């Protein structure tokens, strides 16, 4: 039995160290003009590597970020385009499942028309345009906004140890019952 528990612990540790380097996320359900829009959805993805092994993908460890089809790293920050810019004010992803993003993009043309969007987790997603076409839309987070990310977050190491301790307890109780049953049969 101890050998089986040791093998289970080794497998759990190996699974915990096999971290992904690419994630897809979505937020579904936002308030717009005081009305909850359950189908309103913002999708995105990011790549990164936890270089310092602290369990967090930080802005410095990020290699790509896409929100609603807009790429925030590849070419977006190029100074060669005077009419288009973006910025990532904050980014972190705790490998246990907490995502924090504050990112914006904007552009304009020579006729002074402009457009852009902003995304701040826990707050809002907004899009806007002015000049030739004036419009704006803002979706606000609510307690009903649902966050999904794949691959699934890695559980805290303590959760894995608690699972193994629970399995060991159940195995011990099962063994005790077998021994008690053998004693009462004699």
């Amino acid at each position: 039995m101890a050998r089986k528990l040791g093998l289970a612990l080794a497998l759990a540790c190996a699974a915990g160290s096999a971290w992904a380097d690419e994630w897809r996320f979505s937020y579904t359900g936002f308030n717009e003009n005081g009305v909850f829009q359950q189908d309103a959805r913002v999708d995105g993805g990011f790549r990164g590597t936890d270089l310092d092994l602290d369990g967090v993908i930080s802005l410095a460890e990020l290699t790509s970020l896409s929100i609603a089809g807009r790429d925030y790293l590849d070419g977006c920050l190029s100074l060669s385009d005077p009419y288009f810019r973006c910025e990532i004010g904050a980014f972190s992803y705790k490998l246990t499942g907490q995502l924090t993003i504050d990112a914006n993009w904007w552009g304009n043309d020579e006729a002074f028309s402009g457009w852009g969007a902003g995304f701040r987790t826990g707050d809002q997603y907004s899009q806007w345009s002015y000049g030739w076409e004036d419009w704006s839309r803002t979706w606000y987070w609510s307690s009903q906004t649902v966050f999904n990310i794949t691959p699934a977050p890695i559980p805290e190491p303590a959760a894995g140890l608690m699972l193994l301790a629970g399995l060991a307890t159940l195995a011990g109780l099962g063994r005790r019952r077998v021994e008690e049953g053998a004693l009462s049969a004699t």
Side-chain angles (χ1 to χ4, degrees), residues 137-168:
R137 164 181 263 171
T138 302
W139 291 344
Y140 294 97
W141 256 251
S142 82
S143 60
Q144 296 173 308
T145 302
V146 176
F147 170 62
N148 287 303
I149 191 159
T150 55
I154 298 170
E156 292 281 354
L161 292 176
M162 287 188 335
L163 173 64
L164 290 176
L167 291 173

Side-chain angles (χ1 to χ4, degrees), residues 44-125:
F46 61 94
R47 288 176 166 259
T49 304
D50 184 16
L51 298 173
D52 57 8
L53 301 176
D54 66 350
V56 177
I57 305 294
S58 67
L59 180 56
E61 297 168 321
L62 194 64
T63 57
S64 76
L65 174 63
S66 172
I67 303 168
R70 175 72 57 189
D71 192 346
Y72 281 78
L73 286 180
D74 293 335
C76 181
L77 301 176
S78 168
L79 296 176
S80 64
D81 185 349
Y83 302 110
F84 181 73
R85 293 281 185 270
C86 70
E87 66 181 0
I88 303 171
F91 180 91
S92 72
Y93 176 62
K94 292 183 180 177
L95 298 174
T96 54
Q98 183 182 356
L99 179 61
T100 302
I101 301 173
D102 183 0
N104 300 283
W105 69 267
W106 63 95
N108 64 285
D109 61 18
E110 298 86 3
F112 302 104
S113 292
W115 51 89
F119 182 83
R120 191 169 39 245
T121 52
D123 184 21
Q124 66 183 346
Y125 172 65

